[in-house]
Amino acid sequence: MGRLKRMRRRGAALPAAALARLRSGARAAAGKRGAPPGTLVYSGPEAEEPVRLSYLVYDHDELRQDGRAPADSAELEVCLRHLSGPEISWINVDGLHDVGVIEALGSQVGLHRLVMEDILHTSQRAKVEEYPDHIYLVIRMLTWDEEADHLRDEQVSLVLGKNFVLSFQERVGDVFEGVRDRLRHSRGTIRQRGPDYLAYALMDSVVDHYFSVIERVSDHIENLEIEILEDPEHEVVERVHRLKREMLLVRRAIWPLREVVSQLYRDEFDLVAPDTRVFLRDVYDHTVQVIDTVETLRDLLGGLMDLYLSGVSNRMNEVMKVLTMIATIFIPLSFLAGLYGMNFDVMPELHVAWGYPALLGVMALVAAGMVAYFRRKKWL
């Protein structure tokens, strides 16, 4: 219930964040109006932290370089030098607001200007594009913000080359630590395979993390269902709609990704080895499973609205039933009171000493008899 209370306080966090992202994308598109294709303009939210670079350089035998530092000119030069070596290089960029870093890396590996433009435009849907010497991938990385208790959506761009993988993220923090750990400790066969397998591993990490996000949403749905059954409140409607919007984010991330993964393992890309396509098929199966789960959760959220309306209706029916019973019990009592309240001189028991208590007794017996009858009929 603690998480549910936090949800009440922060119910508008997700819509505000989503609208801010849409507005920033719209402003960037408006700023590029009339500009030639390939104009590099960052469209994401403003960031105060500097752009950071991290890199891993390895071959079949060992991990040769492992570093992380701010993206200054010296560090950028080190990363660029690794790209020209024979080893496999994975360079990760945290932060896209420094257009110069993106342009320098892109120029070094020969990225098309349209690719660099898409990297900086953070409202892309998942897609794959093939160029003569590299493949460009866009995926949506979803994480659950524990502090704010809502879903965070982030664009991750991957560039797969002959001996390198570039990954571009909007901010520090990702779901790739497992891949880094496998590279550092030589777990599995990731060092014995090419950069296409590394790109697969990064995609697989993103898709696998979708299950963690869905699990958190499922917990919220379960708690909401319990709360609706116990005490349906009007604010539940707002929280149900908030979860619906979060599921729309998940759906927006995973539906295009299914097509991307399907294209990667079905089409014959020169930079994707045939033995890697088997693993990509496994990622495709996971995306289908996530889609099925998302659709199930959306149906459950729709059912929560029906459950809420049913609970409110049942509670109203209970209130009306109690009021009706009270009114029904007092109808004959009101009749007796009204009958002996008429102003006539000649009335039975009008001047009898025991008339008043006798009438009260009759009224009590009538009320008790009606209550007993209602209980027998199981109306009470």
Side-chain angles (χ1 to χ4, degrees), residues 96-259:
L96 305 176
H97 50 279
D98 191 341
V99 178
V101 174
I102 309 301
E103 189 171 12
L105 279 174
S107 300
Q108 176 68 19
V109 299
L111 293 186
H112 197 281
R113 297 286 294 185
L114 291 178
V115 172
M116 291 188 277
E117 179 185 7
D118 287 345
I119 291 173
L120 294 169
H121 190 73
T122 58
S123 299
Q124 301 286 331
R125 70 195 298 269
K127 64 178 181 178
V128 56
E129 296 175 350
E130 186 178 19
Y131 291 85
D133 55 354
H134 60 270
I135 297 175
Y136 175 59
L137 295 164
V138 176
I139 55 179
R140 308 298 305 186
M141 182 171 64
L142 303 178
T143 55
W144 192 269
D145 191 330
E146 296 292 343
E147 182 179 354
D149 201 26
H150 70 77
L151 190 64
R152 297 181 65 180
D153 175 35
E154 178 180 353
Q155 174 176 308
V156 176
S157 298
L158 300 177
V159 179
L160 170 62
K162 294 180 180 179
N163 65 333
F164 66 87
V165 172
L166 304 180
S167 57
F168 300 88
Q169 306 179 48
E170 297 182 47
R171 50 185 172 263
V172 177
D174 53 39
V175 298
F176 301 145
E177 197 57 38
V179 179
R180 296 187 181 98
D181 186 69
R182 287 158 58 189
L183 285 171
R184 289 169 181 150
H185 299 91
S186 189
R187 295 176 179 173
T189 61
I190 189 168
R191 281 199 199 167
Q192 282 70 44
R193 296 179 180 272
D196 56 338
Y197 188 87
L198 175 59
Y200 145 75
L202 298 178
M203 295 178 61
D204 186 57
S205 297
V206 172
V207 174
D208 285 346
H209 200 73
Y210 288 159
F211 291 99
S212 299
V213 171
I214 289 176
E215 183 179 358
R216 296 304 303 272
V217 176
S218 300
D219 292 340
H220 281 272
I221 293 176
E222 183 179 355
N223 291 331
L224 275 176
E225 184 177 13
I226 294 174
E227 188 175 355
I228 290 174
L229 290 174
E230 292 179 352
D231 185 20
E233 299 178 358
H234 181 69
E235 64 180 10
V236 170
V237 178
E238 179 183 352
R239 287 151 56 198
V240 169
H241 283 299
R242 190 175 75 93
L243 285 177
K244 280 187 174 182
R245 288 189 288 267
E246 292 187 345
M247 294 311 300
L248 284 177
L249 280 181
V250 179
R251 192 172 187 271
R252 177 175 175 263
I254 193 64
W255 269 93
L257 183 58
R258 180 180 66 169
E259 180 182 348

Side-chain angles (χ1 to χ4, degrees), residues 336-351:
L336 292 176
L339 179 65
Y340 280 92
M342 293 186 296
N343 297 321
F344 290 103
D345 290 335
V346 182
M347 289 184 65
E349 298 88 25
L350 186 62
H351 300 288

